[in-house]
Amino acid sequence: LTKKRKQLSDEEARERVAEKRELAAQRTRYEQMMQEIRSDMASKQVITTPALVADPSIPKLSKIEFDVFISHASEDKEEFVEPLYQALKAIGITSFYDKESIPWGGSIREKVDSGLSHSKMGIVVISKFFCAKKWTSDELNALFALETKESKIILPIWHDITKQEVIDYSPSLADKLARNTAINTIEEIAEEINGVK
């Protein structure tokens, strides 16, 4: 029995080491991919405002610096994102929030690009819905590309999702200190954002 227990313990230890190595390898691959995206975006100037001047509503937007850009899946809007937006608005935090910032008939891509490039920080509401969409992935890639060592602009909020699910989606994102709606109230999150804006 002792021998069997030792064998089991050794096997579990080997599995833990293998898992750590795989996670480290995933992080390395992800960082390499993000570096390539940053370089590509820098060379192509994906996020830029001069090209948007043709839209008469863009000059006004280009002069505004939002405190936060709220990246989220539409399925989370009613339960969490809308109340968060209202809580931020109530304490004077300006937000690029698609429902309020993109007018009827406006170009979603152009408005989002401009909103991203003119926001100090990006709130990323990570949920199962967020992880399943390409659009939210594009927004997250843009936020990573804009993030520098001097300016840590990504503020993750985990919403109805486990740590393992976040790791499976993005090891680099899982490595960032996050707030969790299972633990933190909307008011607490809004006040913390107000403290770092």
Side-chain angles (χ1 to χ4, degrees):
L1 183 59
T2 301
K3 184 177 179 181
K4 287 289 184 184
R5 284 177 178 169
K6 187 176 185 314
Q7 288 176 344
L8 181 59
S9 177
D10 291 344
E11 186 177 336
E12 288 175 347
R14 285 193 295 272
E15 287 178 358
R16 283 195 296 271
V17 169
E19 286 175 0
K20 286 181 180 178
R21 286 177 179 166
E22 177 58 26
L23 183 57
Q26 285 180 0
R27 284 182 179 170
T28 300
R29 289 194 297 271
Y30 189 81
E31 289 299 335
Q32 289 172 344
M33 181 185 74
M34 289 311 304
Q35 185 58 46
E36 289 173 5
I37 290 172
R38 290 188 188 101
S39 299
D40 187 53
M41 291 182 78
S43 63
K44 294 181 180 178
Q45 295 183 340
V46 172
I47 299 176
T48 180
T49 53
L52 309 182
V53 174
D55 184 342
S57 65
I58 293 298
K60 292 181 180 177
L61 181 59
S62 66
K63 296 176 184 176
I64 297 173
E65 185 175 62
F66 296 98
D67 291 316
V68 295
F69 179 100
I70 306 176
S71 179
H72 64 287
S74 57
E75 290 86 350
D76 299 315
K77 196 181 294 290
E78 183 177 348
E79 180 184 2
F80 177 72
V81 180
E82 178 70 24
L84 176 64
Y85 168 72
Q86 295 299 338
L88 294 172
K89 187 177 179 181
I91 58 177
I93 296 177
T94 58
S95 307
F96 182 94
Y97 174 44
D98 59 359
K99 182 179 174 183
E100 299 294 330
S101 304
I102 303 177
W104 187 15
S107 168
I108 295 174
R109 183 192 61 77
E110 289 181 353
K111 293 290 186 180
V112 167
D113 279 354
S114 188
L116 282 163
S117 61
H118 290 89
S119 297
K120 296 177 186 175
M121 298 176 290
I123 297 172
V124 183
V125 182
I126 309 160
S127 68
K128 295 177 179 68
F129 297 115
F130 183 96
C131 295
K133 293 178 179 287
K134 181 183 184 304
W135 184 260
T136 52
S137 177
D138 291 343
E139 289 182 352
L140 181 61
N141 288 342
L143 287 169
F144 267 113
L146 290 168
E147 190 175 46
T148 65
K149 290 181 180 179
E150 293 76 27
S151 176
K152 305 300 183 187
I153 65 169
I154 299 177
L155 303 176
I157 300 173
W158 295 4
H159 179 58
D160 194 25
I161 195 168
T162 66
K163 182 175 182 179
Q164 187 57 53
E165 287 172 320
V166 179
I167 290 173
D168 291 342
Y169 174 69
S170 168
S172 292
L173 192 57
D175 188 53
K176 288 183 175 291
L177 183 63
R179 292 297 171 257
N180 194 323
T181 59
I183 301 169
N184 307 109
T185 67
I186 288 173
E187 290 73 22
E188 289 171 342
I189 293 171
E191 286 299 332
E192 283 204 60
I193 292 168
N194 192 37
V196 298
K197 76 181 176 85

